[in-house]
């Protein structure tokens, strides 16, 4: 069979992404247009502005993805598009664009679950894991643990009961006036902070639970800050670094503990990290350290495949299209699409 070239589109949140993949693994292009500059001044994503930016960006970004891959639409064999979960107004832009192209060009199309796409980002790397493995999806919207036995074969082992880990990073950064999105900023500042300076709580719920809860940790940071009124010149740079470093350490401790516990419960030796927070350097470092101590293997996608991108959507789309699975052109978007 000839190589299958797929156009993948991702618009679930605030990034407009388009990618071209050969045989679901080889990335010929992966273009992401970030909307950070638009949402920064609000300290978070404004859904209507996100939709409006997607509608401006979608054609230029897809065009750039095709040009970078050096292919024309005529050379594309199928389309993969994120169907949910996400912001419905954002999803609808990518979805209706993808459907229009599929209709006009007579191409098969398949709707992809965004969480499944995150979990599958690791297959874009040179040495992907064999199934089964434990997968942690940790992003701005999700913090969940899965057992993955194959494409389309998932068992959810745990999830957050309140905030996602990325959301906690973003809220703490906003509280301290550090900017948006908080994750990468805190990641960087923490390098010169003391992770042991403040002992924030490590919310683990019950001993055997693989669920997460980050809202109490966020409140602990709020209370800590309230207990130390800002001096006229603002907090010292070192205090800020110590706060974020100690907060990050608490998040990493919890993610580490639950993920290792999940591997142990399932009797699995392979762990895959995914989602924007999986780009966090401290999490990556400590997960590798701890796993090697426990003789487990950790698989880490490159940071650009951790944060939202269309290439990971293409991985999943390829797996389905190659099995003859396609979506009807009545395909709709679902903000809470489960996995
Ligand atoms: O996967 P993603 O791009 O979008 C969602 O599906 O949510 O994840 C975005 C989230 C944001 O909350 C952002 O602050 C966080 O991932 N993030 C990070 C890092 N890079 C992005 N969190 C911690 N450390 C990072 N280096
Ligand atoms: Zn995501």
């Amino acid at each position: 069979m000839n190589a299958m070239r797929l156009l993948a589109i991702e618009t679930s949140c605030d990034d407009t992404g388009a990618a071209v993949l050969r045989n679901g693994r080889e990335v010929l292009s992966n273009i992401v247009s970030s909307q950070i500059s638009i949402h920064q001044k609000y300290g978070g994503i404004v859904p209507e502005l996100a939709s409006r930016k997607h509608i401006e960006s979608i054609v230029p970004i897809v065009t750039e993805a095709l040009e970078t891959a050096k292919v024309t639409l005529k050379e594309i064999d199928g389309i993969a598009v994120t169907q949910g979960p996400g912001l419905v107004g954002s999803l609808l832009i990518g979805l209706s664009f993808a459907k229009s192209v599929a209709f006009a060009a007579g191409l098969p199309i398949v709707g992809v679950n965004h969480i499944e796409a995150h979990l599958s980002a690791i297959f874009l790397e040179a040495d992907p894991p064999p199934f089964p493995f434990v997968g942690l999806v940790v992003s701005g919207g999700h913090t969940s643990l899965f057992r993955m036995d194959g494409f389309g074969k998932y068992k959810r082992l745990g999830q957050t009961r309140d905030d996602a880990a990325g959301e906690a990073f973003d809220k703490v950064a906003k509280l301290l006036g550090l900017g948006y999105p908080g994750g990468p900023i805190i990641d960087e500042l923490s390098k010169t902070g003391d992770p042991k300076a403040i002992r924030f709580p490590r919310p683990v719920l019950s001993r055997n639970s693989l669920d997460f809860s980050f809202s109490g940790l966020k409140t602990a940071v709020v209370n800590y800050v309230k207990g130390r009124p800002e001096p006229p010149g603002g907090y010292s740079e070192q205090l800020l670094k110590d706060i974020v470093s100690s907060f990050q350490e608490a998040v990493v401790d919890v993610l580490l503990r639950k993920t290792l516990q999940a591997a142990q419960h399932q009797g699995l030796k392979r762990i895959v990290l995914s989602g924007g927070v999986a780009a966090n350097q401290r999490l990556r470092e400590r997960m590798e350290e701890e796993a090697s101590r426990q003789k487990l293997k950790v698989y880490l996608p490159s940071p650009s495949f951790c944060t939202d991108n269309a290439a990971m959507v293409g991985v999943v789309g390829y797996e389905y299209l190659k099995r003859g699975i396609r979506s009807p052109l009545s395909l709709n978007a679902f903000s809470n699409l489960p996995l």
Side-chain angles (χ1 to χ4, degrees):
M1 196 183 124
N2 289 336
M4 190 198 275
R5 284 200 199 87
L6 214 72
L7 171 65
I9 292 170
E10 153 66 40
T11 63
S12 67
C13 195
D14 62 337
D15 293 305
T16 316
V20 177
L21 265 71
R22 188 188 285 134
N23 288 338
R25 295 288 189 275
E26 195 188 331
V27 182
L28 303 183
S29 64
N30 187 28
I31 311 292
V32 181
S33 162
S34 160
Q35 301 184 359
I36 287 175
S37 58
I38 293 168
H39 303 287
Q40 220 157 25
K41 55 178 171 290
Y42 305 100
I45 297 163
V46 183
E48 187 192 326
L49 295 183
S51 308
R52 290 181 180 281
K53 192 62 195 171
H54 283 307
I55 205 147
E56 278 176 27
S57 305
I58 189 78
V59 173
I61 293 300
V62 169
T63 306
E64 192 181 336
L66 292 169
E67 281 174 5
T68 307
K70 298 193 171 53
V71 296
T72 63
L73 202 49
K74 286 201 177 65
E75 293 166 299
I76 294 291
D77 305 300
I79 298 180
V81 58
T82 307
Q83 187 192 358
L87 299 171
V88 88
S90 291
L91 289 163
L92 286 172
I93 308 292
L95 202 60
S96 44
F97 177 82
K99 282 164 66 166
S100 310
V101 175
F103 175 70
L107 290 172
I109 182 169
V110 66
V112 169
N113 182 304
H114 183 76
I115 315 243
E116 186 172 10
H118 272 305
L119 277 171
S120 306
I122 195 66
F123 293 95
L124 295 165
E125 300 296 347
D127 180 25
F131 293 113
F133 56 76
V134 162
L136 172 70
V137 185
V138 67
S139 70
H142 309 276
T143 302
S144 306
L145 277 163
F146 290 90
R147 176 194 170 101
M148 186 165 174
D149 284 285
F151 290 100
K153 293 185 189 145
Y154 310 91
K155 184 173 177 225
R156 195 172 63 213
L157 307 171
Q159 65 181 329
T160 182
R161 295 192 187 167
D162 40 60
D163 292 353
E167 198 178 347
F169 271 94
D170 296 339
K171 286 179 177 169
V172 165
K174 187 174 179 179
L175 168 78
L176 297 171
L178 299 174
Y180 175 85
I185 299 168
I186 291 181
D187 191 348
E188 208 46 45
L189 284 175
S190 295
K191 285 183 188 159
T192 43
D194 175 4
K196 293 199 174 82
I198 307 146
R199 179 77 194 170
F200 288 125
R202 270 69 173 156
V204 291
L205 305 166
S206 66
R207 201 161 59 90
N208 277 323
S209 170
L210 294 175
D211 282 348
F212 300 90
S213 166
F214 290 106
S215 75
L217 170 58
K218 179 194 67 197
T219 308
V221 179
V222 171
N223 290 339
Y224 180 87
V225 170
K226 274 198 191 143
R228 262 167 205 69
E230 199 167 335
Y235 296 116
S236 79
E237 201 167 306
Q238 196 54 49
L239 177 60
L240 275 178
K241 288 176 175 174
D242 288 348
I243 297 173
V244 295
S245 178
S246 300
F247 157 77
Q248 175 179 277
E249 202 66 2
V251 176
V252 169
D253 271 352
V254 174
L255 294 175
L256 215 68
R257 174 177 171 156
K258 301 269 173 177
T259 307
L260 295 167
Q261 209 174 338
Q264 198 183 32
H265 286 185
Q266 296 294 315
L268 296 177
K269 295 272 178 211
R270 291 180 289 271
I271 290 172
V272 170
L273 299 198
S274 66
V277 181
N280 184 270
Q281 297 171 63
R282 184 77 176 152
L283 175 64
R284 294 168 79 91
E285 201 179 277
R286 290 209 38 220
M287 188 65 87
E288 284 201 309
E289 253 170 47
E290 197 50 43
S292 92
R293 197 169 304 145
Q294 301 195 18
K295 308 260 176 308
L296 303 172
K297 183 152 186 200
V298 177
Y299 294 79
L300 301 167
S302 333
S304 63
F305 293 144
C306 289
T307 45
D308 284 350
N309 67 89
M312 66 183 190
V313 175
V315 174
V316 180
Y318 170 77
E319 293 297 328
Y320 288 121
L321 286 174
K322 132 178 134 175
R323 291 167 175 75
I325 299 168
R326 25 174 102 184
S327 301
L329 280 176
S330 55
L331 180 65
N332 207 340
F334 296 97
S335 58
N336 289 317
L337 188 69
L339 179 65

